[in-house]
Amino acid sequence: MFISPVNYINFTGTTKYVPGCGDTRKEQARYLDKEARQAYKARTNGVNVPVYSAEIISKIHPDITIKYTVDGDMPDADKNPVTNEHIKNLFENFIKLEEIGLCYDRLTPDNVYYGKNGKVEIDSLRNAQNFSINKDDDLFTLPSNADAYEAGGLCYYVDSFQDKYRQHGFLRCYLQQKGRYHAQRAEQLAKLGFKPNSKAVSVEDIKGGALKNLSSEMINRTKDKFEIYILKNEAEKEWRDGNIFADGKAKPKKRFISCIFNFEALKRAIALEEKTNTLSKDLRDRYEREYFALETKQIGALKQEIIKIIEETGSLNFADERYGKQGLYLGTKADKEFYDKTFKTLKNDIKEGKSAENINKTIDILEDFYRNRIAEWKLEKNKIYKQTYIGGKASIIPIEQQPSTGARIYSKQAHTHFN
């Protein structure tokens, strides 16, 4: 393992620990070895990463643990604001990671730390994936740590601004710097032998050229995209928390809330895809049109990902026999059949390219139906619903006869309403 001896390190920042995962010392060491090796690889290429030491923290629980310090804190719009120098150093670190073939699937708020004098430090290198560059692959595009950070971490920082003018100003500075980041990536690809007209270079040229002449549309649509990321992330968190049985108690309502978040994310993704598609055709500037064409593809992929999640989690909530001891049944078998049938209609509407207005009507039916099932759900009814799957019949209450359960929600209201 590439672990530094304890006496080589002066622990002056926030001390953190990474416990090894596994039942045996060998498994724990293998898990931590990836963290240490990736960090060593990144550090030798100039990336700001923590320095580690390995130790056994307890004789009673002799697990191997990595100890390290973080130089800085998570970003906070008021207490630890991100400066222009931070943004510059952030992209410098991303470029250096990509030079050695390391890219995160997602960078969360607790993976990137902002210190004094504009220094940025990147954590949890074990989560970075190795990628290879293939200049002979016509479809190859360079993975982006910036995109991974936007989706998992930066979106929350942007959302934390109370002052919309400060928020707009930050996004402007960030996107301008990101334009330079894409220009550097294009140069990097050219040095590796990629042709100027290759897809990989073209994508970087388009983004770099468009962001060089940044417009308000780019800033506003970026903000819209970040809001979708937050909804999707919160949905994932609620689903994960809903599957944790603390003290033997299940939290099924968190799984219900997860689906509501994803419904809202889907509606916004559909609306944003329509906006960016229109911009890709109507704008005068070529770079800007092509930039929004790329954004349309990215939002479209995000939309399809959300659809897949809703299809799996939404239907599973109606009949999950593996959940807890009794299983989880949000409604009757007939309810599930209605939900699945309506969701199939939604997927067909999207596939056929119907307007956002028409698609949203189907989403509203599904969302209202789902909310009504949530409002009626109780542990006692869970047992009754279960019987309809084992045997028996149940009728569906028509949508127009179902009572309203309040306005649609997606933020803190959702937690208050359902918990």
Side-chain angles (χ1 to χ4, degrees), residues 336-361:
K336 183 179 184 301
E337 289 172 355
F338 174 84
Y339 178 87
D340 290 343
K341 183 179 180 180
T342 310
F343 198 90
K344 186 177 180 180
T345 299
L346 171 65
K347 287 177 65 179
N348 289 335
D349 288 350
I350 292 172
K351 187 177 181 179
E352 292 171 9
K354 292 188 178 180
S355 69
E357 184 179 358
N358 286 332
I359 292 170
N360 280 342
K361 288 178 181 178

PDB file of all heavy atoms in Angstrom, residues 336-361:
ATOM      1  N   LYS A 336     -51.791  -1.230  -8.656  1.00  0.00           N
ATOM      2  CA  LYS A 336     -50.501  -1.425  -9.319  1.00  0.00           C
ATOM      3  C   LYS A 336     -50.682  -1.574 -10.828  1.00  0.00           C
ATOM      4  O   LYS A 336     -49.907  -1.023 -11.618  1.00  0.00           O
ATOM      5  CB  LYS A 336     -49.790  -2.651  -8.759  1.00  0.00           C
ATOM      6  CG  LYS A 336     -48.398  -2.892  -9.353  1.00  0.00           C
ATOM      7  CD  LYS A 336     -47.737  -4.106  -8.738  1.00  0.00           C
ATOM      8  CE  LYS A 336     -46.316  -4.272  -9.260  1.00  0.00           C
ATOM      9  NZ  LYS A 336     -46.246  -4.428 -10.716  1.00  0.00           N
ATOM     10  N   GLU A 337     -51.705  -2.317 -11.222  1.00  0.00           N
ATOM     11  CA  GLU A 337     -51.966  -2.513 -12.651  1.00  0.00           C
ATOM     12  C   GLU A 337     -52.287  -1.186 -13.337  1.00  0.00           C
ATOM     13  O   GLU A 337     -51.837  -0.921 -14.452  1.00  0.00           O
ATOM     14  CB  GLU A 337     -53.117  -3.507 -12.833  1.00  0.00           C
ATOM     15  CG  GLU A 337     -52.727  -4.939 -12.471  1.00  0.00           C
ATOM     16  CD  GLU A 337     -53.903  -5.884 -12.451  1.00  0.00           C
ATOM     17  OE1 GLU A 337     -55.059  -5.394 -12.639  1.00  0.00           O
ATOM     18  OE2 GLU A 337     -53.705  -7.085 -12.233  1.00  0.00           O
ATOM     19  N   PHE A 338     -53.064  -0.334 -12.647  1.00  0.00           N
ATOM     20  CA  PHE A 338     -53.382   0.985 -13.201  1.00  0.00           C
ATOM     21  C   PHE A 338     -52.119   1.831 -13.325  1.00  0.00           C
ATOM     22  O   PHE A 338     -51.879   2.474 -14.362  1.00  0.00           O
ATOM     23  CB  PHE A 338     -54.394   1.699 -12.301  1.00  0.00           C
ATOM     24  CG  PHE A 338     -54.660   3.124 -12.715  1.00  0.00           C
ATOM     25  CD1 PHE A 338     -55.575   3.417 -13.705  1.00  0.00           C
ATOM     26  CD2 PHE A 338     -53.969   4.172 -12.117  1.00  0.00           C
ATOM     27  CE1 PHE A 338     -55.799   4.731 -14.097  1.00  0.00           C
ATOM     28  CE2 PHE A 338     -54.183   5.484 -12.501  1.00  0.00           C
ATOM     29  CZ  PHE A 338     -55.116   5.761 -13.492  1.00  0.00           C
ATOM     30  N   TYR A 339     -51.300   1.816 -12.281  1.00  0.00           N
ATOM     31  CA  TYR A 339     -50.063   2.605 -12.277  1.00  0.00           C
ATOM     32  C   TYR A 339     -49.151   2.162 -13.413  1.00  0.00           C
ATOM     33  O   TYR A 339     -48.639   2.991 -14.181  1.00  0.00           O
ATOM     34  CB  TYR A 339     -49.354   2.439 -10.934  1.00  0.00           C
ATOM     35  CG  TYR A 339     -48.030   3.172 -10.837  1.00  0.00           C
ATOM     36  CD1 TYR A 339     -47.982   4.497 -10.434  1.00  0.00           C
ATOM     37  CD2 TYR A 339     -46.833   2.543 -11.161  1.00  0.00           C
ATOM     38  CE1 TYR A 339     -46.772   5.176 -10.355  1.00  0.00           C
ATOM     39  CE2 TYR A 339     -45.628   3.200 -11.092  1.00  0.00           C
ATOM     40  CZ  TYR A 339     -45.598   4.522 -10.685  1.00  0.00           C
ATOM     41  OH  TYR A 339     -44.407   5.178 -10.625  1.00  0.00           O
ATOM     42  N   ASP A 340     -48.941   0.858 -13.529  1.00  0.00           N
ATOM     43  CA  ASP A 340     -48.049   0.332 -14.564  1.00  0.00           C
ATOM     44  C   ASP A 340     -48.567   0.641 -15.972  1.00  0.00           C
ATOM     45  O   ASP A 340     -47.799   0.986 -16.873  1.00  0.00           O
ATOM     46  CB  ASP A 340     -47.875  -1.175 -14.405  1.00  0.00           C
ATOM     47  CG  ASP A 340     -47.060  -1.534 -13.166  1.00  0.00           C
ATOM     48  OD1 ASP A 340     -46.381  -0.649 -12.627  1.00  0.00           O
ATOM     49  OD2 ASP A 340     -47.116  -2.711 -12.729  1.00  0.00           O
ATOM     50  N   LYS A 341     -49.888   0.528 -16.152  1.00  0.00           N
ATOM     51  CA  LYS A 341     -50.489   0.790 -17.463  1.00  0.00           C
ATOM     52  C   LYS A 341     -50.357   2.261 -17.843  1.00  0.00           C
ATOM     53  O   LYS A 341     -50.024   2.595 -18.985  1.00  0.00           O
ATOM     54  CB  LYS A 341     -51.965   0.384 -17.446  1.00  0.00           C
ATOM     55  CG  LYS A 341     -52.663   0.545 -18.792  1.00  0.00           C
ATOM     56  CD  LYS A 341     -54.117   0.096 -18.723  1.00  0.00           C
ATOM     57  CE  LYS A 341     -54.808   0.255 -20.072  1.00  0.00           C
ATOM     58  NZ  LYS A 341     -56.233  -0.177 -20.004  1.00  0.00           N
ATOM     59  N   THR A 342     -50.606   3.154 -16.864  1.00  0.00           N
ATOM     60  CA  THR A 342     -50.496   4.595 -17.125  1.00  0.00           C
ATOM     61  C   THR A 342     -49.049   4.984 -17.377  1.00  0.00           C
ATOM     62  O   THR A 342     -48.759   5.842 -18.228  1.00  0.00           O
ATOM     63  CB  THR A 342     -51.068   5.404 -15.946  1.00  0.00           C
ATOM     64  OG1 THR A 342     -52.365   4.908 -15.611  1.00  0.00           O
ATOM     65  CG2 THR A 342     -51.172   6.881 -16.292  1.00  0.00           C
ATOM     66  N   PHE A 343     -48.127   4.343 -16.655  1.00  0.00           N
ATOM     67  CA  PHE A 343     -46.712   4.649 -16.862  1.00  0.00           C
ATOM     68  C   PHE A 343     -46.267   4.208 -18.251  1.00  0.00           C
ATOM     69  O   PHE A 343     -45.458   4.880 -18.903  1.00  0.00           O
ATOM     70  CB  PHE A 343     -45.850   3.971 -15.797  1.00  0.00           C
ATOM     71  CG  PHE A 343     -44.477   4.567 -15.684  1.00  0.00           C
ATOM     72  CD1 PHE A 343     -44.236   5.622 -14.821  1.00  0.00           C
ATOM     73  CD2 PHE A 343     -43.432   4.106 -16.476  1.00  0.00           C
ATOM     74  CE1 PHE A 343     -42.980   6.200 -14.734  1.00  0.00           C
ATOM     75  CE2 PHE A 343     -42.176   4.671 -16.393  1.00  0.00           C
ATOM     76  CZ  PHE A 343     -41.944   5.712 -15.521  1.00  0.00           C
ATOM     77  N   LYS A 344     -46.811   3.111 -18.736  1.00  0.00           N
ATOM     78  CA  LYS A 344     -46.507   2.645 -20.092  1.00  0.00           C
ATOM     79  C   LYS A 344     -46.984   3.666 -21.124  1.00  0.00           C
ATOM     80  O   LYS A 344     -46.299   3.931 -22.116  1.00  0.00           O
ATOM     81  CB  LYS A 344     -47.166   1.285 -20.338  1.00  0.00           C
ATOM     82  CG  LYS A 344     -46.805   0.649 -21.671  1.00  0.00           C
ATOM     83  CD  LYS A 344     -47.442  -0.727 -21.812  1.00  0.00           C
ATOM     84  CE  LYS A 344     -47.055  -1.348 -23.154  1.00  0.00           C
ATOM     85  NZ  LYS A 344     -47.660  -2.699 -23.313  1.00  0.00           N
ATOM     86  N   THR A 345     -48.162   4.252 -20.857  1.00  0.00           N
ATOM     87  CA  THR A 345     -48.681   5.307 -21.737  1.00  0.00           C
ATOM     88  C   THR A 345     -47.727   6.496 -21.750  1.00  0.00           C
ATOM     89  O   THR A 345     -47.451   7.083 -22.807  1.00  0.00           O
ATOM     90  CB  THR A 345     -50.072   5.766 -21.260  1.00  0.00           C
ATOM     91  OG1 THR A 345     -50.974   4.658 -21.295  1.00  0.00           O
ATOM     92  CG2 THR A 345     -50.618   6.887 -22.145  1.00  0.00           C
ATOM     93  N   LEU A 346     -47.223   6.860 -20.561  1.00  0.00           N
ATOM     94  CA  LEU A 346     -46.283   7.969 -20.448  1.00  0.00           C
ATOM     95  C   LEU A 346     -45.031   7.703 -21.293  1.00  0.00           C
ATOM     96  O   LEU A 346     -44.582   8.581 -22.038  1.00  0.00           O
ATOM     97  CB  LEU A 346     -45.899   8.177 -18.983  1.00  0.00           C
ATOM     98  CG  LEU A 346     -44.765   9.169 -18.709  1.00  0.00           C
ATOM     99  CD1 LEU A 346     -45.190  10.581 -19.111  1.00  0.00           C
ATOM    100  CD2 LEU A 346     -44.363   9.147 -17.230  1.00  0.00           C
ATOM    101  N   LYS A 347     -44.479   6.526 -21.179  1.00  0.00           N
ATOM    102  CA  LYS A 347     -43.275   6.187 -21.929  1.00  0.00           C
ATOM    103  C   LYS A 347     -43.522   6.254 -23.432  1.00  0.00           C
ATOM    104  O   LYS A 347     -42.669   6.743 -24.187  1.00  0.00           O
ATOM    105  CB  LYS A 347     -42.795   4.780 -21.546  1.00  0.00           C
ATOM    106  CG  LYS A 347     -42.169   4.683 -20.166  1.00  0.00           C
ATOM    107  CD  LYS A 347     -41.783   3.253 -19.827  1.00  0.00           C
ATOM    108  CE  LYS A 347     -40.697   2.732 -20.729  1.00  0.00           C
ATOM    109  NZ  LYS A 347     -40.287   1.349 -20.388  1.00  0.00           N
ATOM    110  N   ASN A 348     -44.682   5.810 -23.866  1.00  0.00           N
ATOM    111  CA  ASN A 348     -45.025   5.868 -25.290  1.00  0.00           C
ATOM    112  C   ASN A 348     -45.177   7.311 -25.765  1.00  0.00           C
ATOM    113  O   ASN A 348     -44.742   7.660 -26.872  1.00  0.00           O
ATOM    114  CB  ASN A 348     -46.312   5.093 -25.568  1.00  0.00           C
ATOM    115  CG  ASN A 348     -46.128   3.592 -25.439  1.00  0.00           C
ATOM    116  OD1 ASN A 348     -45.021   3.084 -25.595  1.00  0.00           O
ATOM    117  ND2 ASN A 348     -47.203   2.878 -25.149  1.00  0.00           N
ATOM    118  N   ASP A 349     -45.796   8.162 -24.929  1.00  0.00           N
ATOM    119  CA  ASP A 349     -45.950   9.582 -25.274  1.00  0.00           C
ATOM    120  C   ASP A 349     -44.590  10.246 -25.455  1.00  0.00           C
ATOM    121  O   ASP A 349     -44.381  11.041 -26.378  1.00  0.00           O
ATOM    122  CB  ASP A 349     -46.731  10.313 -24.180  1.00  0.00           C
ATOM    123  CG  ASP A 349     -48.212   9.941 -24.186  1.00  0.00           C
ATOM    124  OD1 ASP A 349     -48.654   9.284 -25.145  1.00  0.00           O
ATOM    125  OD2 ASP A 349     -48.912  10.303 -23.214  1.00  0.00           O
ATOM    126  N   ILE A 350     -43.664   9.914 -24.564  1.00  0.00           N
ATOM    127  CA  ILE A 350     -42.315  10.488 -24.636  1.00  0.00           C
ATOM    128  C   ILE A 350     -41.587   9.975 -25.871  1.00  0.00           C
ATOM    129  O   ILE A 350     -40.940  10.740 -26.593  1.00  0.00           O
ATOM    130  CB  ILE A 350     -41.521  10.156 -23.350  1.00  0.00           C
ATOM    131  CG1 ILE A 350     -42.131  10.893 -22.150  1.00  0.00           C
ATOM    132  CG2 ILE A 350     -40.051  10.530 -23.507  1.00  0.00           C
ATOM    133  CD1 ILE A 350     -41.543  10.500 -20.813  1.00  0.00           C
ATOM    134  N   LYS A 351     -41.710   8.692 -26.140  1.00  0.00           N
ATOM    135  CA  LYS A 351     -41.053   8.078 -27.296  1.00  0.00           C
ATOM    136  C   LYS A 351     -41.566   8.670 -28.600  1.00  0.00           C
ATOM    137  O   LYS A 351     -40.801   8.865 -29.560  1.00  0.00           O
ATOM    138  CB  LYS A 351     -41.283   6.568 -27.270  1.00  0.00           C
ATOM    139  CG  LYS A 351     -40.510   5.805 -28.341  1.00  0.00           C
ATOM    140  CD  LYS A 351     -40.726   4.312 -28.199  1.00  0.00           C
ATOM    141  CE  LYS A 351     -39.936   3.540 -29.261  1.00  0.00           C
ATOM    142  NZ  LYS A 351     -40.120   2.077 -29.134  1.00  0.00           N
ATOM    143  N   GLU A 352     -42.867   8.975 -28.644  1.00  0.00           N
ATOM    144  CA  GLU A 352     -43.474   9.538 -29.854  1.00  0.00           C
ATOM    145  C   GLU A 352     -43.207  11.031 -30.008  1.00  0.00           C
ATOM    146  O   GLU A 352     -43.588  11.640 -31.006  1.00  0.00           O
ATOM    147  CB  GLU A 352     -44.980   9.278 -29.830  1.00  0.00           C
ATOM    148  CG  GLU A 352     -45.346   7.805 -29.987  1.00  0.00           C
ATOM    149  CD  GLU A 352     -46.822   7.541 -29.734  1.00  0.00           C
ATOM    150  OE1 GLU A 352     -47.583   8.524 -29.601  1.00  0.00           O
ATOM    151  OE2 GLU A 352     -47.210   6.359 -29.668  1.00  0.00           O
ATOM    152  N   GLY A 353     -42.555  11.621 -28.990  1.00  0.00           N
ATOM    153  CA  GLY A 353     -42.184  13.033 -29.076  1.00  0.00           C
ATOM    154  C   GLY A 353     -43.320  14.005 -28.888  1.00  0.00           C
ATOM    155  O   GLY A 353     -43.310  15.102 -29.469  1.00  0.00           O
ATOM    156  N   LYS A 354     -44.298  13.628 -28.100  1.00  0.00           N
ATOM    157  CA  LYS A 354     -45.408  14.541 -27.836  1.00  0.00           C
ATOM    158  C   LYS A 354     -44.931  15.741 -27.025  1.00  0.00           C
ATOM    159  O   LYS A 354     -43.889  15.701 -26.378  1.00  0.00           O
ATOM    160  CB  LYS A 354     -46.534  13.799 -27.109  1.00  0.00           C
ATOM    161  CG  LYS A 354     -47.224  12.759 -27.973  1.00  0.00           C
ATOM    162  CD  LYS A 354     -48.456  12.169 -27.306  1.00  0.00           C
ATOM    163  CE  LYS A 354     -49.153  11.172 -28.235  1.00  0.00           C
ATOM    164  NZ  LYS A 354     -50.355  10.589 -27.598  1.00  0.00           N
ATOM    165  N   SER A 355     -45.699  16.813 -27.031  1.00  0.00           N
ATOM    166  CA  SER A 355     -45.290  18.059 -26.373  1.00  0.00           C
ATOM    167  C   SER A 355     -45.193  17.885 -24.860  1.00  0.00           C
ATOM    168  O   SER A 355     -45.819  16.984 -24.279  1.00  0.00           O
ATOM    169  CB  SER A 355     -46.289  19.174 -26.677  1.00  0.00           C
ATOM    170  OG  SER A 355     -47.526  18.915 -26.041  1.00  0.00           O
ATOM    171  N   ALA A 356     -44.396  18.761 -24.239  1.00  0.00           N
ATOM    172  CA  ALA A 356     -44.240  18.720 -22.777  1.00  0.00           C
ATOM    173  C   ALA A 356     -45.587  18.903 -22.080  1.00  0.00           C
ATOM    174  O   ALA A 356     -45.854  18.291 -21.044  1.00  0.00           O
ATOM    175  CB  ALA A 356     -43.262  19.811 -22.332  1.00  0.00           C
ATOM    176  N   GLU A 357     -46.441  19.735 -22.672  1.00  0.00           N
ATOM    177  CA  GLU A 357     -47.762  19.976 -22.073  1.00  0.00           C
ATOM    178  C   GLU A 357     -48.590  18.689 -22.022  1.00  0.00           C
ATOM    179  O   GLU A 357     -49.199  18.372 -20.987  1.00  0.00           O
ATOM    180  CB  GLU A 357     -48.500  21.036 -22.892  1.00  0.00           C
ATOM    181  CG  GLU A 357     -49.853  21.425 -22.302  1.00  0.00           C
ATOM    182  CD  GLU A 357     -50.568  22.490 -23.122  1.00  0.00           C
ATOM    183  OE1 GLU A 357     -49.991  22.952 -24.133  1.00  0.00           O
ATOM    184  OE2 GLU A 357     -51.708  22.831 -22.764  1.00  0.00           O
ATOM    185  N   ASN A 358     -48.605  17.930 -23.113  1.00  0.00           N
ATOM    186  CA  ASN A 358     -49.362  16.674 -23.150  1.00  0.00           C
ATOM    187  C   ASN A 358     -48.760  15.625 -22.227  1.00  0.00           C
ATOM    188  O   ASN A 358     -49.476  14.906 -21.528  1.00  0.00           O
ATOM    189  CB  ASN A 358     -49.414  16.132 -24.579  1.00  0.00           C
ATOM    190  CG  ASN A 358     -50.354  16.922 -25.472  1.00  0.00           C
ATOM    191  OD1 ASN A 358     -51.318  17.499 -24.990  1.00  0.00           O
ATOM    192  ND2 ASN A 358     -50.054  16.964 -26.759  1.00  0.00           N
ATOM    193  N   ILE A 359     -47.429  15.538 -22.232  1.00  0.00           N
ATOM    194  CA  ILE A 359     -46.749  14.555 -21.382  1.00  0.00           C
ATOM    195  C   ILE A 359     -46.982  14.868 -19.913  1.00  0.00           C
ATOM    196  O   ILE A 359     -47.214  13.962 -19.097  1.00  0.00           O
ATOM    197  CB  ILE A 359     -45.246  14.525 -21.705  1.00  0.00           C
ATOM    198  CG1 ILE A 359     -45.034  13.952 -23.107  1.00  0.00           C
ATOM    199  CG2 ILE A 359     -44.486  13.694 -20.680  1.00  0.00           C
ATOM    200  CD1 ILE A 359     -43.624  14.084 -23.622  1.00  0.00           C
ATOM    201  N   ASN A 360     -46.965  16.157 -19.579  1.00  0.00           N
ATOM    202  CA  ASN A 360     -47.161  16.548 -18.179  1.00  0.00           C
ATOM    203  C   ASN A 360     -48.548  16.178 -17.657  1.00  0.00           C
ATOM    204  O   ASN A 360     -48.722  15.934 -16.461  1.00  0.00           O
ATOM    205  CB  ASN A 360     -46.917  18.046 -18.004  1.00  0.00           C
ATOM    206  CG  ASN A 360     -45.444  18.379 -17.917  1.00  0.00           C
ATOM    207  OD1 ASN A 360     -44.618  17.503 -17.653  1.00  0.00           O
ATOM    208  ND2 ASN A 360     -45.102  19.633 -18.128  1.00  0.00           N
ATOM    209  N   LYS A 361     -49.519  16.146 -18.555  1.00  0.00           N
ATOM    210  CA  LYS A 361     -50.868  15.742 -18.133  1.00  0.00           C
ATOM    211  C   LYS A 361     -50.865  14.296 -17.634  1.00  0.00           C
ATOM    212  O   LYS A 361     -51.500  13.966 -16.626  1.00  0.00           O
ATOM    213  CB  LYS A 361     -51.857  15.899 -19.288  1.00  0.00           C
ATOM    214  CG  LYS A 361     -52.188  17.351 -19.632  1.00  0.00           C
ATOM    215  CD  LYS A 361     -53.150  17.425 -20.820  1.00  0.00           C
ATOM    216  CE  LYS A 361     -53.459  18.877 -21.174  1.00  0.00           C
ATOM    217  NZ  LYS A 361     -54.362  18.969 -22.362  1.00  0.00           N
TER     218      LYS A 361
END
